[in-house]
Amino acid sequence: MIETILSAFERTPFAQDLSGRLPPAGAALRLGGLAGSSGAAMVAWLAERLPQRLFTVVAATPAEAERWLADLGTVTELSAALYPQREGLGEEEPHYEIAGERAETLEALLRGQLRILVTTARATAEKTLVPEALERMRLELAVGMERPLTFVVAELERMGYRRVPVVTEVAEFAVRGGIVDVYGFGMAHPARLEWWGDEISSIRAFDLTTQRSGEALQRVTILPIGVGTTQGRQDATTQGGGGEGTLRPGVVASLRRTLLDLLPTDTLLVEEASHPNAEEVSRAWREAEHHLEIARRLGEAPPAREDLFAEPAEWEARIEKFPRLRLREERPDLQAGFLPPEAVDRNLGRLRGLLAGGPPTLILCDNQGQLERLDELLQEGEPAGAAATLVVGALDGGFVMPTLRVLTDHEIFRRARRLRRPRRYRQAA
């Protein structure tokens, strides 16, 4: 099923146009015509095509984030996780499952174990206490930074990177005099760093084929490769507990960070639309001040609002530094041209008529029983040429590409889709 959807997506003119127009840092590409759950198919295709990049979907609400996560679980086997927003507006998350999932996702992110991250706009503006032991799992380098070359080389080796004469693929680095070439997960391009003494004097992208330097970069974020490469640092983190940013006794150094501060600089952000996300962040900012004022009247001493949330203008300036894909924007720069599926309204005759013409059809059924029943119904009096591939799976909404029609049984029979994602508290750093 996954191969069928992604292979059909790859053959569309939109996919070919999109691959050559991905935005650089600080720019946004507005997309249109992505009906139903085709946005999830797009993200899955891009993530499989660009294995070195991290993709982050920023939804406006928790319900939309859950929908995205469920759709991605259907169309890709790549590692995907949810970073949920807090249910409360204070510093402590009262819900253990939310706190546990936030901590677990942060740890996976900083270890370089995620390919697709799903979150909400408000969650990206929330500040959390991140243990230094976790934040140090990544390596951030910038022009003008005092960071000896020997230290960087030792860090790359500790993080699981392989030292080679010439960098040709992800997870490799090379050293030539005062120059280090490195290609890490989360980086859009391999980077060439030059030193003047102990100071990083320049960072430039370079081409793997020609090895020639390209555009200048201001900073790069390098995540560790593989599991177990950060053991020396993960020992400082707790193996239990329920709160975010919890450390073992005696290890108290923590820093307040937003999720945007922790993402690699080349992370490709995917937004349904920019305006609803900005509204959610502004609303959370206003509501936080109201709830903090109530806490003060009750004699409590809550932290300042600036310690809990990024101010909306600051959040907007930060998110605009990333490369972004915006779905369902007015006046799009690129049209997918995918259509909503034709209405069936429980009319099997109409469904058979659809299957007899147009592109090949894939029908997703919620379970094996529904698949078998629909198959029986379609075979009763089926005219020649009316055929479809039925598989077990679920998407929020079907869509029609020039190369494939994707239908869902809950839309065919006008039933509500039910998201059943079991939650459990899992130990995390």
Side-chain angles (χ1 to χ4, degrees):
M1 173 184 59
I2 291 174
E3 293 78 7
T4 300
I5 295 175
L6 298 190
S7 175
F9 182 93
E10 185 170 26
R11 297 194 305 273
T12 64
F14 169 69
Q16 305 308 314
D17 291 342
L18 178 62
S19 62
R21 296 183 60 178
L22 291 179
L29 180 66
R30 296 171 299 180
L31 306 177
L34 286 163
S37 297
S38 59
M42 178 196 71
V43 172
W45 179 76
L46 285 172
E48 295 199 1
R49 187 175 179 274
L50 302 171
Q52 79 282 10
R53 298 290 293 272
L54 173 69
F55 291 79
T56 297
V57 177
V58 183
T61 66
E64 291 179 6
E66 292 280 0
R67 174 183 62 80
W68 268 96
L69 188 67
D71 282 350
L72 288 166
T74 297
V75 297
T76 183
E77 294 178 349
L78 297 176
S79 56
L82 176 69
Y83 183 74
Q85 66 186 43
R86 296 190 185 105
E87 291 197 350
L89 289 171
E91 183 169 33
E92 295 298 325
E93 169 53 54
H95 199 297
Y96 279 115
E97 292 175 355
I98 297 292
E101 189 164 22
R102 282 168 64 92
E104 186 179 60
T105 299
L106 275 187
E107 183 183 25
L109 168 66
L110 297 177
R111 288 192 185 185
Q113 296 173 349
L114 282 184
R115 292 300 322 285
I116 305 173
L117 175 63
V118 180
T119 188
T120 66
R122 195 183 105 177
T124 64
E126 293 172 342
K127 293 183 179 180
T128 189
L129 287 171
V130 179
E132 285 186 329
L134 275 183
E135 192 177 59
R136 287 198 306 267
M137 287 180 178
R138 65 178 191 155
L139 181 62
E140 186 152 344
L141 304 172
V143 175
M145 179 181 289
E146 291 279 347
R147 193 66 62 91
L149 184 149
T150 53
F151 170 82
V152 172
V153 169
E155 286 294 281
L156 292 174
E157 291 175 340
R158 180 194 59 77
M159 295 168 73
Y161 285 77
R162 185 164 60 97
R163 185 167 180 169
V164 295
V166 178
V167 172
T168 59
E169 58 186 42
V170 175
E172 293 181 343
F173 78 99
V175 182
R176 301 186 313 281
I179 298 175
V180 172
D181 290 348
V182 60
Y183 196 11
F185 171 66
M187 297 169 61
H189 309 281
R192 177 165 291 154
L193 298 91
E194 296 188 44
W195 270 259
W196 181 262
D198 287 343
E199 180 181 310
I200 300 174
S201 59
S202 75
I203 304 176
R204 303 188 74 86
F206 71 91
D207 186 89
L208 288 177
T209 303
T210 66
Q211 295 292 309
R212 292 179 179 176
S213 298
E215 64 174 317
L217 307 173
Q218 288 303 308
R219 63 178 60 242
V220 292
T221 305
I222 303 171
L223 297 179
I225 300 296
V227 182
T229 60
T230 55
Q231 184 63 40
R233 291 182 179 184
Q234 88 179 58
D235 286 345
T237 61
T238 181
Q239 300 302 312
E244 297 175 62
T246 306
L247 291 177
R248 284 179 177 173
V251 183
V252 297
S254 296
L255 304 170
R256 293 185 187 275
R257 294 285 186 267
T258 68
L259 181 63
L260 297 179
D261 296 325
L262 301 174
L263 293 176
T265 53
D266 287 327
T267 300
L268 188 57
L269 299 188
V270 179
E271 299 179 277
E272 287 274 4
S274 58
H275 181 68
N277 285 348
E279 282 295 315
E280 284 295 315
V281 171
S282 296
R283 185 169 63 84
W285 178 257
R286 295 190 301 268
E287 290 180 355
E289 183 59 28
H290 172 70
H291 285 80
L292 292 174
E293 180 59 31
I294 293 177
R296 295 186 192 102
R297 292 177 182 176
L298 295 175
E300 301 176 10
R305 178 172 58 170
E306 294 76 12
D307 292 335
L308 301 178
F309 291 92
E311 192 270 331
E314 174 193 347
W315 171 84
E316 186 170 3
R318 183 73 182 89
I319 204 168
E320 288 182 352
K321 292 182 179 179
F322 291 92
R324 285 152 289 136
L325 295 177
R326 288 178 173 171
L327 285 57
R328 301 178 178 90
E329 289 270 282
E330 295 182 0
R331 298 185 297 276
D333 304 309
L334 183 60
Q335 273 281 1
F338 300 166
L339 301 174
E342 301 88 342
V344 174
D345 294 330
R346 303 180 183 176
N347 187 325
L348 290 177
R350 186 179 299 170
L351 177 59
R352 293 190 187 99
L354 290 177
L355 302 184
T361 299
L362 180 73
I363 300 179
L364 304 181
C365 302
D366 286 346
N367 54 59
Q368 186 63 33
Q370 291 176 359
L371 184 151
E372 294 173 356
R373 178 55 180 157
L374 180 57
D375 189 39
E376 291 175 0
L377 292 172
L378 289 176
Q379 290 182 23
E380 294 176 0
E382 178 182 2
T389 301
L390 277 62
V391 296
V392 175
L395 287 174
D396 185 67
F399 50 95
V400 181
M401 302 182 288
T403 51
L404 182 70
R405 175 190 289 112
V406 179
L407 303 179
T408 67
D409 67 345
H410 60 266
E411 288 180 307
I412 291 173
F413 294 107
R414 296 168 60 185
R415 290 184 285 100
R417 180 194 181 191
R418 297 178 181 178
L419 292 179
R420 298 184 182 90
R421 188 169 73 93
R423 287 178 174 262
R424 60 189 178 88
Y425 178 75
R426 294 160 286 185
Q427 290 185 343

